[in-house]
Amino acid sequence: MSIRTESGAADTLRARLLRIIEYASAILLAGIMLLTVTDVVARYLFHNPIPASFELTEMAMQVMIYLGIAVAVATNDHIKVTLLDSLFVRLPRLERSVNRLSGVLIAVAFVFLGYTMTELARGKAGDLTSVLGWPVAPVAWAIAAAMFLSAILASWAVIRPAVAPVGDGDAA
Amino acid sequence: MIEFSLGILGLLVLILLRLPVALAMGLVGFVGYAHYMSYSIAGKMVAGSAFELGGYMLTVIPLFVLMGNFVSTSGLGHSLFRAAYAFLGRLPGGLAVSAILASGGFAAISGSSVASAATMAKVSYPPMRSFGYAEPFSLATIAAGGTLGILIPPSVVLIIYGILAEQNIAKLFLAGVIPGLLGLLLYMLAVMFVVARDPSAGPRGEAMPWPERWRALRDVWGVIALFALVMGGLYGGVFTATEGAGIGAMGALLLTWLRGQLTLQVLRNAFLGAVRTTGALFPILLGATVLSNFIGMTGAPEILADWIYEVEPSPVLLLFLIVLLYLFLGCFFESYSTLFITMPIILPLVEAAGFDLIWFGIIVVVTIEIGLLTPPFGMNVFVLTSVLRNVAAGPVFRALIPFIVSDLFRILLLALFPALVLFLPNHM
């Protein structure tokens, strides 16, 4: 009984976390869209482009991508080659172990990525962007944080695969 | 060359084991790179690639996906089909012809073939069935129509090719216009061919009076205007591909609002959908970057290029072999994976052979898209069978043969007359 409530609370936490990540990423995307349009309009109508729009877009995009990746990881939305699926269906135990292994590898990969990104962030300490003169390192730190989040969400997907709905992967 | 072969072999094993393609590419690339340098340097390389992933140019992907999402949620598919039907429904096979034209229109805003097939299945399948069209033929029409989304800009696959081949995305988009329209035309001819052989396969629809036709057209003027704005802006050099994508997304949002369909729900779904697609797609870009850094170290691209210089195969033969390779791969792999895995090897080869990379890109993309229609893994067919339940895939694949033949004919035309591809981008 107590276990069930605990995992229920954990699931709620995960759902909330996921929602925050999704909305943060969506807001960044909306910002990128508005900034791009404003820049073009300002350039042609008022001959007054926004000089920092390139920099701002790039920074927003860097963070947005990794938040989006965290969402994809949490919902198990990976692009895979399904050539041997018919074979896997006949070997459910093999399928399960491969899925588990792949989930663990994803989590490990994100821990590693997050770690190398913190190194990179340290290396960028003191670097400034060319137009705004903003520090570059916080972007790298944000990416590293998103990567560690992805690692947590990936581990979660391994431990409780039933929670993760199948994403409507929209390839091609 | 041994390292290269081992790497490719390892990659194949990992992706066949159903590891995510991005992870497989990243893993092989990282280990291979570390083999030449060291693990700590390889780690730095990966982090650097990951940091650079959010380049300004890549913003085109989420923005164009966003634009397509607005269109697919706003019921525009319906209006497009109605407008096409109002004008062409009376022809023999009129509903199928209309479905193809509507798919083409949808493709002009959306960059995804699967989204296009899924939307049109809901829109054009019921009327086709009620007019007595056979199920396999109706579905084949929709599946084939969906592939138009890949070439008619905006196109996510073309953007990815552009990034891998370091080609101008605006130019690639313009290069896709005529081949895309050619595909539209050839698919319509394929429908007419089927109907000419068996008139009962595609009965005529009802005639519509002119006032009704204009009314149907009025519903879609916005799409036509938006496409004209984005493509015109790219063609005239008024804005870059990224800016065009931003304007396209904003325009699609406004269009949805003008049509009175901009609810909070639609807004949310469009943005969150774009975030999810981005999240699923970008890891492969990172994996591909890491992998190609390793492949560059192996020296294999130079060896292949030297081999091309030495052998000097006839360009026709080389192109024929490459098309054959992609037809084969297209049967088994989904289009993104095919591009990502093969490009680091194929590009130096065709560059050495002196091919125009824009022209080559269009040919490769048309070839890969055929894979969406062929068994055993024709994705567009399976999308349809999952959207409409209780439909068998086998007869649909058979009904697709005329469309596939018309695609092969299109590749032949594009190969023989490169001007079909290059005319627009060269006049930018």
Side-chain angles (χ1 to χ4, degrees):
Chain A
M1 185 68 188
S2 69
I3 294 171
R4 186 174 285 170
T5 9
E6 256 171 46
S7 66
D11 284 343
T12 320
L13 183 69
R14 173 189 167 279
R16 278 206 191 128
L17 182 66
L18 197 56
R19 175 152 296 186
I20 292 171
I21 299 173
E22 275 185 326
Y23 278 91
S25 182
I27 288 166
L28 282 172
L29 180 57
I32 290 171
M33 181 184 81
L34 291 174
L35 185 62
T36 314
V37 174
T38 318
D39 184 34
V40 176
V41 171
R43 189 170 70 214
Y44 280 99
L45 293 186
F46 309 110
H47 303 285
N48 194 10
I50 305 167
S53 76
F54 182 90
E55 252 170 35
L56 283 171
T57 303
E58 217 164 57
M59 285 192 278
M61 177 74 180
Q62 280 170 312
V63 179
M64 184 233 140
I65 291 171
Y66 285 97
L67 292 177
I69 290 176
V71 174
V73 167
T75 50
N76 250 329
D77 198 356
H78 305 290
I79 295 180
K80 291 180 182 174
V81 169
T82 48
L83 192 57
L84 297 183
D85 265 18
S86 50
L87 186 85
F88 273 109
V89 171
R90 262 175 274 154
L91 302 165
R93 279 178 72 180
L94 179 67
E95 185 183 17
R96 228 169 310 147
S97 4
V98 167
N99 282 350
R100 194 155 287 191
L101 176 72
S102 130
V104 171
L105 278 176
I106 293 168
V108 171
F110 274 111
V111 171
F112 171 74
L113 279 171
Y115 170 72
T116 57
M117 193 53 71
T118 56
E119 300 265 278
L120 186 132
R122 276 199 201 97
K124 296 236 180 243
D127 288 11
L128 300 175
T129 65
S130 51
V131 179
L132 288 170
W134 287 5
V136 176
V139 175
W141 284 112
I143 295 175
M147 284 168 166
F148 285 124
L149 263 178
S150 299
I152 294 171
L153 290 166
S155 323
W156 203 304
V158 176
I159 300 164
R160 290 178 61 87
V163 180
V166 180
D168 45 341
D170 180 43
Chain B
M1 212 50 187
I2 292 174
E3 287 91 345
F4 171 76
S5 316
L6 275 179
I8 296 299
L9 192 71
L11 182 65
L12 274 177
V13 171
L14 292 179
I15 58 176
L16 286 182
L17 278 174
R18 295 210 321 172
L19 238 58
V21 177
L23 181 63
M25 288 196 289
L27 214 58
V28 169
F30 171 71
V31 173
Y33 198 85
H35 164 77
Y36 286 102
M37 310 299 281
S38 73
Y39 278 95
S40 89
I41 291 176
K44 285 205 173 72
M45 179 272 287
V46 172
S49 311
F51 189 74
E52 301 292 328
L53 191 60
Y56 179 76
M57 206 174 68
L58 291 183
T59 326
V60 284
I61 295 180
L63 288 176
F64 272 132
V65 170
L66 184 62
M67 169 170 163
N69 285 357
F70 276 120
V71 176
S72 39
T73 47
S74 72
L76 205 97
H78 243 291
S79 310
L80 281 167
F81 181 72
R82 229 188 14 244
Y85 178 74
F87 285 88
L88 300 174
R90 272 304 285 159
L91 294 175
L95 283 101
V97 172
S98 308
I100 286 185
L101 186 60
S103 298
F106 194 84
I109 303 288
S110 161
S112 152
S113 158
V114 173
S116 172
T119 308
M120 294 320 287
K122 284 178 227 147
V123 171
S124 54
Y125 180 70
M128 275 200 261
R129 291 291 285 151
S130 71
F131 273 86
Y133 282 58
E135 183 181 274
F137 178 55
S138 316
L139 291 176
T141 309
I142 297 166
T147 64
L148 292 170
I150 291 192
L151 213 53
I152 298 180
S155 152
V156 176
V157 176
L158 272 184
I159 296 173
I160 287 172
Y161 174 83
I163 290 159
L164 294 175
E166 293 172 0
Q167 295 298 305
N168 182 321
I169 287 169
K171 280 194 172 185
L172 272 172
F173 275 6
L174 289 168
V177 174
I178 295 177
L181 293 177
L182 186 65
L184 189 76
L185 198 72
L186 288 172
Y187 280 167
M188 288 181 178
L189 289 177
V191 169
M192 290 180 185
F193 169 78
V194 172
V195 178
R197 279 184 35 171
D198 175 14
S200 69
R204 292 162 188 270
E206 288 155 6
M208 279 209 195
W210 277 97
E212 202 144 324
R213 288 183 177 181
W214 292 127
R215 208 168 312 136
L217 200 60
R218 214 172 46 205
D219 265 357
V220 296
W221 70 267
V223 186
I224 300 167
L226 188 57
F227 181 73
L229 174 72
V230 172
M231 290 314 290
L234 292 181
Y235 184 75
V238 179
F239 38 70
T240 63
T242 305
E243 290 167 349
I247 287 172
M250 191 72 203
L253 191 156
L254 289 177
L255 211 60
T256 313
W257 178 65
L258 282 177
R259 292 165 59 83
Q261 273 151 340
L262 191 69
T263 60
L264 211 57
Q265 181 80 6
V266 166
L267 198 66
R268 216 185 70 122
N269 286 350
F271 273 100
L272 292 188
V275 164
R276 283 196 195 122
T277 307
T278 309
L281 208 54
F282 274 73
I284 322 194
L285 264 173
L286 178 57
T289 314
V290 173
L291 181 69
S292 68
N293 282 343
F294 156 61
I295 289 181
M297 293 292 248
T298 64
E302 286 87 353
I303 294 173
L304 287 172
D306 282 346
W307 177 77
I308 289 284
Y309 288 130
E310 226 169 85
V311 180
E312 283 191 50
S314 87
V316 178
L317 180 69
L318 183 65
L319 187 68
F320 178 73
L321 289 178
I322 292 177
V323 167
L324 220 56
L325 171 77
Y326 277 111
L327 280 177
F328 176 75
L329 290 175
C331 286
F332 299 103
F333 297 96
E334 134 318 308
S335 47
Y336 296 132
S337 319
T338 317
L339 268 184
F340 280 121
I341 295 168
T342 54
M343 278 300 133
I345 305 156
I346 295 287
L347 278 174
L349 216 106
V350 295
E351 248 183 319
F355 287 5
D356 182 293
L357 287 186
I358 292 206
W359 169 73
F360 178 72
I362 299 293
I363 291 202
V364 166
V365 168
V366 178
T367 311
I368 290 179
E369 109 195 19
I370 295 178
L372 293 171
L373 302 178
T374 50
F377 301 104
M379 193 157 48
N380 274 15
V381 175
F382 288 114
V383 168
L384 294 183
T385 51
S386 71
V387 172
L388 313 158
R389 294 171 204 289
N390 305 324
V391 174
V396 183
F397 282 126
R398 258 192 305 281
L400 272 165
I401 292 172
F403 296 99
I404 294 170
V405 170
S406 85
D407 271 339
L408 292 175
F409 181 63
R410 174 156 56 135
I411 295 177
L412 189 70
L413 282 180
L414 299 179
L416 290 177
F417 307 105
L420 287 172
V421 178
L422 297 174
F423 177 77
L424 281 180
N426 285 348
H427 285 79
M428 234 168 114

